[in-house]
Amino acid sequence: MTDSLWRHRNFLVLWSGKTLSEVGDAVSMLVIPLLAVTVLDASAVEVGVLSATRMVAYLFLSLPAGVWVDRMRKRRVMVVCHLVRAGLVATVAVGAWAGWVTMMQLWTVALLSSVCTVLYETAHQSFLPSIVTKDQLLDANGKLTTTYSVSRIAGYGVGGAVVSALGVARAAGVDALAYVVNAASLLLIRDTEERPTVARRRDFRRELGDGLSFVFRHPVMPRLVAAAASFNLFSQMLFALAVLYLVRDLRLSEGMVGVVMGLTTVGGIVGGLASARLARVVGTARIIWIAPLGIGWTVLLVPAAQSGWGPAAYTVGMAGMGVVFAIFNSASVSYRQRVCPPELLGRMTASVRFVIFGVMPVGALAGGLLGSWLGVRPTLWIAAVGVWASGLLLYFSPLRRWRDLPDEADAPAGGQPETRFPAPRERSPVDPAGKAIGGVRRA
């Protein structure tokens, strides 16, 4: 029986601060594309590039970020990243208000913000296990996933209301304040983080290799990494064209765009709240492939949407995808945090994110290019089918034979964990090193 996180002071402070940050981030994710589409008359390609630059740092920074974060105090990294992002977003607000904002400025701010995002998220996932116990990780990640979705609703709603009342330019400043508040809240957490181990001689290449080796020699993680990468690739094609599709194809006003995008995140709330209970009832391994194949088909409603009833179809389709992502992320992230040695958490997280988030700018750019070449709606059909089909990577794998993910003890740094796999349907246990495990995941 684990202690309730509702009485866990450090977690509650971390949780509340992240909630405020996510609200501001959602405002920015709505306002900046709206600024590009409605004020700068951006094309599908320009919108795709804008979406891609928000994530491109995952391609070149994820792996070294893991090494750097493992060498530093995680809380300090998060505070600095929030303050830098606040300054970057503030330049957009000032530029929009003064009338000299350009697409080049938006691309530059998005690129620099993506650097801060990579460092912050790597530090955040590595910091969480230092303030909660292993038994609390699934519950904690479920709550954080739910918060992400609730914050998106609040952020999109606030953003849409501010844009309608004050215009798109003034709405851009809300995000900067949220980052500052979150940075301040992190300083209220009682310091339980152990100081990083200082080696006499540090080998950057070896430290980098330890993280990659742990992930890709692991008997389970490559499956989760492959599926997550596929989910993220195709979902980013959807996200990159979302504002363009809602404004130009479904003919929604700026305020209604905020309302619809806010409602789509209801799925993430449902999935986040239900993830821990479903994992216990259905099984931590089984739920990972049942969720995308059983619920993920709803994303096909997105490209099928038409004017009139289209906003409802779009909302249901994107909400269904949110349910899938919330359940999958809660299970897979908690598993990674539970089995990874503390000294490898940053590098393990960075190695996974290098793959699963590194494909996101590729998906966003592909969405913009295909949207310009084939048209927005045909591109959305390709993306929606791809999201649903990503679940097949999990179904056609040994994960389908297990009820639960294997329970493992901590492995030595850079080493291979000794895993005892549950026997699938009374058969002999699967050999972790055997060919049956082969090589094949958002979060």
Side-chain angles (χ1 to χ4, degrees), residues 324-408:
V324 173
F325 283 5
I327 293 173
F328 180 88
N329 287 340
S330 294
S332 59
V333 171
S334 300
Y335 178 71
R336 296 199 306 260
Q337 291 170 333
R338 181 162 52 89
V339 301
C340 183
E343 66 274 12
L344 266 178
L345 273 170
R347 282 165 286 171
M348 178 277 294
T349 300
S351 298
V352 172
R353 284 172 172 262
F354 170 70
V355 179
I356 68 176
F357 287 167
V359 301
M360 291 169 70
V362 177
L365 186 58
L369 293 173
L370 288 175
S372 179
W373 179 39
L374 300 176
V376 171
R377 195 180 297 275
T379 301
L380 294 181
W381 274 113
I382 294 172
V385 171
V387 168
W388 179 82
S390 298
L392 297 176
L393 293 173
L394 299 167
Y395 182 78
F396 292 108
S397 78
L399 286 172
R400 178 164 54 94
R401 306 192 194 104
W402 307 333
R403 182 188 188 280
D404 294 298
L405 290 167
D407 188 16
E408 306 178 33

Side-chain angles (χ1 to χ4, degrees), residues 232-234 236-237 240 359-368:
N232 286 346
L233 176 70
F234 290 107
Q236 285 306 311
M237 294 173 65
V359 301
M360 291 169 70
V362 177
L365 186 58

